[in-house]
Amino acid sequence: WQGQFHQAVDAYAVLYLLEIAGAQRLVAWYRHWRGLALMCADDRQGAFHEFVAAANSRSELGRPSEKREHAFKLEKPVETGKQACNLAKWYRKRKDQIQNAIRQVESDLKYGPDTNKAEEACRILGSLLGLHAKRPDKAKDTGPDVTWQGEGDLSVLGLELKTNKKKDGEYFKRNISDCHDHAEWLSKNYGDKGKLIIVGPTLPVAKKANPSDILQVVEIDSMRDLFTRAKYMLEAVEAGDKTSLEHSFQTWINYYGLNWPTCVESLDSRLAIDLKTDS
């Protein structure tokens, strides 16, 4: 940049406007770098907003802490969504239940032999995001382990948990076959508005397996990051003005990048087909 920070700010703005139609994760990088240029130009408020916008599209980039950065001012929400309304309703009726839910997810959302606990933790996490969360495989013995349902082009996300996989393991042909079966279940129940992901370690996919081109593997650490942001959102609402809970929830949902479906589309992931082995 050679010290020309304002010119760098303008250049990154042009770059991400050119790319904005089809490459959101690339745009996130441009916005993150624009945030740094703004920081160097001593525009801290502008920088923080760029960092937050970048993190909301690509969660691994991180975001400034509103607890430390007192100069940061939250943007007022233009409208209140269904998630905020669901959370406000839950908060008014059973605030103690929310705290219990946070403790359970904190304890059980991890790798280990007991996938049942991890599945329930993922279901609860969906509820903490203000989504309609179920465990169809447990209730009906068919479908994904967990589903999160929201509104928009992505109506429902199916989560297939493989949190009991060993570090030296792989995704077997039967694991991928199960994913095909559960993706078909989503298609029959939700049309083209459903999507399936694997929640598990980044491991090789067996040579004989044939994952779809869109099947993603999301590490448990990414899910825990999502949980941490949901937890911080709830703590911020608890500590703030409760005159309008819906408004308060929406404000912090926006800040922590928890709007559906961006909250799941922004998760760090790998395509299963890219993990396929040659031997």
Side-chain angles (χ1 to χ4, degrees):
W1 298 340
Q2 299 179 332
Q4 300 179 53
F5 304 123
H6 291 289
Q7 289 92 326
V9 167
D10 294 340
Y12 279 115
V14 171
L15 279 173
Y16 76 64
L17 286 172
L18 286 172
E19 296 282 357
I20 205 161
Q24 290 301 319
R25 289 178 66 78
L26 179 58
V27 168
W29 268 114
Y30 292 152
R31 299 201 73 163
H32 188 83
W33 281 104
R34 187 169 189 261
L36 180 58
L38 284 163
M39 187 73 78
C40 292
D42 204 29
D43 183 354
R44 296 178 68 82
Q45 181 72 5
F48 296 159
H49 281 292
E50 288 298 302
F51 288 143
V52 169
N56 286 353
S57 292
R58 192 166 186 156
S59 62
E60 67 267 29
L61 291 177
R63 69 193 63 239
S65 168
E66 88 289 348
K67 297 176 182 178
R68 291 196 302 268
E69 301 290 356
H70 300 296
F72 183 73
K73 295 179 181 178
L74 293 169
E75 292 183 339
K76 294 181 179 179
V78 176
E79 58 183 359
T80 301
K82 185 68 173 175
Q83 288 171 261
C85 293
N86 289 342
L87 287 166
K89 184 178 179 180
W90 190 14
Y91 187 94
R92 288 189 180 100
K93 287 187 173 181
R94 293 294 304 275
K95 184 172 73 170
D96 59 325
Q97 193 179 67
I98 294 178
Q99 294 305 316
N100 290 336
I102 289 172
R103 285 191 286 271
Q104 187 170 345
V105 177
E106 203 152 34
S107 170
D108 295 340
L109 188 58
K110 60 186 180 183
Y111 291 122
D114 192 348
T115 57
N116 183 59
K117 283 188 175 182
E119 289 167 13
E120 180 62 9
C122 277
R123 185 197 66 78
I124 295 170
L125 174 56
S127 296
L128 291 172
L129 294 168
L131 304 169
H132 189 46
K134 294 180 179 180
R135 292 180 64 186
D137 188 43
K138 185 176 179 65
K140 301 178 181 179
D141 198 28
T142 185
D145 294 320
V146 181
T147 56
W148 292 351
Q149 189 173 0
E151 297 180 327
D153 291 337
L154 177 62
S155 174
V156 63
L157 180 75
L159 292 82
E160 190 69 15
L161 271 77
K162 302 297 180 187
T163 51
N164 59 341
K165 286 283 185 182
K166 295 181 179 180
K167 292 182 179 179
D168 59 349
E170 69 173 1
Y171 290 107
F172 304 120
K173 182 176 181 179
R174 67 175 180 273
N175 298 143
I176 302 303
S177 295
D178 285 344
C179 290
H180 285 304
D181 180 75
H182 297 157
E184 183 64 21
W185 183 91
L186 287 170
S187 178
K188 286 181 178 179
N189 285 275
Y190 300 97
D192 60 356
K193 291 192 172 185
K195 177 182 176 181
L196 186 78
I197 65 170
I198 293 173
V199 178
T202 304
L203 296 173
V205 172
K207 181 181 179 181
K208 293 182 179 180
N210 294 288
S212 73
D213 293 340
I214 61 171
L215 179 64
Q216 294 170 298
V217 178
V218 177
E219 287 268 5
I220 206 75
D221 285 349
S222 292
M223 300 301 291
R224 286 195 68 87
D225 170 71
L226 189 59
F227 162 67
T228 299
R229 286 184 277 141
K231 178 184 173 184
Y232 287 166
M233 170 205 49
L234 291 158
E235 288 175 350
V237 170
E238 175 67 18
D241 182 8
K242 301 178 188 61
T243 304
S244 172
L245 277 173
E246 288 81 2
H247 181 276
S248 182
F249 271 112
Q250 190 62 60
T251 298
W252 291 106
I253 284 172
N254 290 350
Y255 173 73
Y256 283 111
L258 300 176
N259 283 294
W260 178 267
T262 306
C263 60
V264 292
E265 291 175 339
S266 66
L267 292 175
D268 194 16
S269 65
R270 292 286 303 277
L271 286 171
I273 198 166
D274 291 340
L275 299 172
K276 192 170 175 178
T277 61
D278 295 325
S279 58

